Amino acid sequence: MSSLAAFALSANKEARVFVTRERTAVRQSPRARRSGLIAAFAILATGVVLTITGTGRADSTPVGPLPAGTVSTVKTGPNQLMAVALPGNSKSSGLVWRIARPYKSTILRQLSEADVDGTVVLVFKVTGRGTTSLVFALTRGDTSPKAIKSATQTVVSR
């Protein structure tokens, strides 16, 4: 509700205030209502799809026992980028590098993965402080639980 005030001076120098109140009514057109419902449905559908696809990634075949492999440590800080390069294999071999163990997502967040001249490169952003380990396993395809090689990158963020 808004109000409008007007001031006037009378002949005997008294100030008088006249206040007029206005009522504002807002009506939503049927077209605007329909657009709002469509937007709400789109947001709901997107949430459902993201939930389903997120669950799919969590159900990948776990990697079993790991053979002894290389271990290295990196010391860094928050808001830094970190890359891990893993030796590549020919596509015909069917061997793939996989993250074999969970890592602390409060410390690292994976940004991208690429095949650069036969080397698998994963890029992470350091998002917090602490220590976590990235454990990788070389397996035959994404569904094999048997690791052929392993590599561990320990990240210390201060």
Side-chain angles (χ1 to χ4, degrees), residues 45-65:
T46 302
V48 168
V49 168
L50 290 175
T51 302
I52 291 170
T53 57
T55 305
R57 273 186 269 152
D59 291 340
S60 64
T61 305
V63 178

Side-chain angles (χ1 to χ4, degrees), residues 72-76 82 153-157:
S72 58
T73 301
V74 172
K75 293 182 181 178
T76 185
M82 185 194 88
Q153 181 77 52
T154 302
V155 179
V156 179
S157 174

Side-chain angles (χ1 to χ4, degrees), residues 9 11 15 22 28 33 46 51 58 66-67 71-72 98 108 118 126 136 153 157:
L9 288 175
E22 297 177 5
Q28 196 175 33
R33 228 177 285 138
T46 302
T51 302
L66 299 172
V71 178
S72 58
R98 297 170 47 196
L108 289 177
V126 182
F136 300 97
Q153 181 77 52
S157 174

Side-chain angles (χ1 to χ4, degrees), residues 81-84 99 103 109-116 120-125 136:
L81 295 178
M82 185 194 88
V84 177
I99 296 177
Y103 59 90
R109 181 171 48 101
Q110 185 175 350
L111 298 180
S112 65
E113 179 178 341
D115 185 5
V116 181
V120 178
V121 178
L122 293 98
V123 179
F124 293 86
K125 181 171 185 174
F136 300 97

Side-chain angles (χ1 to χ4, degrees), residues 23-27:
R23 287 187 174 230
T24 305
V26 177
R27 279 192 66 215

Side-chain angles (χ1 to χ4, degrees), residues 10-32:
S10 64
N12 59 0
K13 308 277 186 198
E14 291 179 343
R16 294 184 184 196
V17 179
F18 301 96
V19 178
T20 307
R21 292 186 180 242
E22 297 177 5
R23 287 187 174 230
T24 305
V26 177
R27 279 192 66 215
Q28 196 175 33
S29 69
R31 178 182 244 170

Side-chain angles (χ1 to χ4, degrees), residues 86-97 115 118-120 138 149:
L86 300 165
N89 297 292
S90 66
K91 300 226 184 249
S92 61
S93 71
L95 298 174
V96 295
W97 283 102
D115 185 5
T119 301
V120 178
L138 186 64
K149 283 186 182 177

